[in-house]
Amino acid sequence: MVSPAPARAGDEIGSIDTPALIVDLDALDFNIDAMAKHVRVSNMMLRPHAKTHKSVEIARRQFAAGAIGLCCQKVSEAEALLPSGVSDMLVSNHIVGAAKLDKLAELARKVRITTLTSDTAHVTELADAARRNGVIFEILIELDAGDARMGLGDESQLLPLAEAIAASPHLKLRGLQVYNGPFQHLRPQTERAAAAKEAGQRALCARIVLESAGLPCDLISGGGTGTYAEDTSVGAFTELQPGSYVFMDGDYARNFSADGSSYRPFRQSLFVLTRVLRAAAPDVVYVDAGVKALNLDSGMPTLHERPDLVFTKASDEQGRIETLPGGKTPALGELLHIVPSHCDPTVNQFDWMVAVRGGRVTDVWPVDARGCVL
Ligand code: PLP
Ligand code: MN
């Protein structure tokens, strides 16, 4: 069941029901434009990752700024975002199992679908699914970028894998993906730059192996919000797939830029609006956003423009906020803007996104792919 919308267009911020997911449109527009411009002047393509926003509206804004398509992590997420008008989708995951592959084939009848593999047994499964559904799956080989998670780490297996893909009339090899989540969040810029360079080098070496064998490698996709500037300068990627840049979050703000300042190439556009439920002590309040409205895998959230307040604890439905010495404890009913520590899973907690500009609600957008885990 979808919950009722927490606001209507034209409402003032003060009348939004809480907890609510808020998107500041000035900051969102700035972020969408800034990334699009950076990628364009680098002569690369932008394929934003939609796992972050799960939103048809935001995808449309990314297309208007020049994005060539989307990445999705889940087949059901890709399906939910078709109304954005997307025509070129990279399902940047390993899709396994007949049920899911048949759904991927259904998508491939509607839009261009590319997906990943790093294993010859999986190639057989992909080819069987494409054959039985009468479609062609376009394929990128995923390389391990250093986190030993999903990508191919053993270079000696690259050519046999690529040849197996190329040998199937139901598959079409396009190139490579290399993405490493953890190195987006290495704090010093020098460490993120070194990791991005290493990932780029792996992709360049792999491209030489493929092209020397007469195999195609026209597309190399990867990169994220923490290394996008470095990713454009390593000379390996043909397209970038950043996601979090549209919103940013508390964890990305804990990265450092090259000059040692906090990493702020993009503006914070995403907030969870929360209301004070109880002033429990002169320096302690409880608010209506807890574990079910936030995501805490990257630590506690922070309070926007309130360095005097610390979010110290969350239970299912409530959060505890403490006032630092000299700070001002919020009053009963007061609204606070929480900066989520990790944007993607926080968005997935909400059915609605309240778009705000100049202190007023302009739109209430559904989180179209909310809960699309299949
Ligand atoms: N590409 C893949 C495969 C991802 O898993 C993710 C995020 O987890 C991204 C791109 C986007 O990365 P970021 O949100 O750091 O920009
Ligand atoms: Mn994330």
Side-chain angles (χ1 to χ4, degrees), residues 179-203:
Y179 175 81
N180 178 331
F183 75 45
Q184 306 295 322
H185 298 267
L186 292 170
R187 300 308 179 204
Q189 183 274 341
T190 45
E191 289 184 19
R192 293 198 305 282
K197 192 166 169 195
E198 202 180 308
Q201 293 296 341
R202 291 197 69 152

Side-chain angles (χ1 to χ4, degrees), residues 7 35 46 71 82 85-86 104 140 157 162 176 195 213 275 280 310 312 330 347:
M35 182 63 86
L46 177 61
C71 282
L82 287 182
V86 61
L104 188 69
L140 301 182
Q157 291 306 305
L176 303 164
R275 198 169 247 111
V310 184
T312 54
V347 169

Side-chain angles (χ1 to χ4, degrees), residues 54-82:
K54 294 175 169 284
S55 159
V56 164
E57 265 302 324
I58 295 179
R60 286 186 182 139
R61 285 164 185 257
Q62 291 173 317
F63 295 143
I68 53 137
L70 293 178
C71 282
C72 281
Q73 206 69 353
K74 297 299 183 117
V75 175
S76 59
E77 188 175 69
E79 172 79 38
L81 295 178
L82 287 182

Side-chain angles (χ1 to χ4, degrees), residues 6-20:
R8 278 181 305 202
D11 283 352
E12 288 182 12
I13 289 189
S15 49
I16 298 173
D17 203 359
T18 56

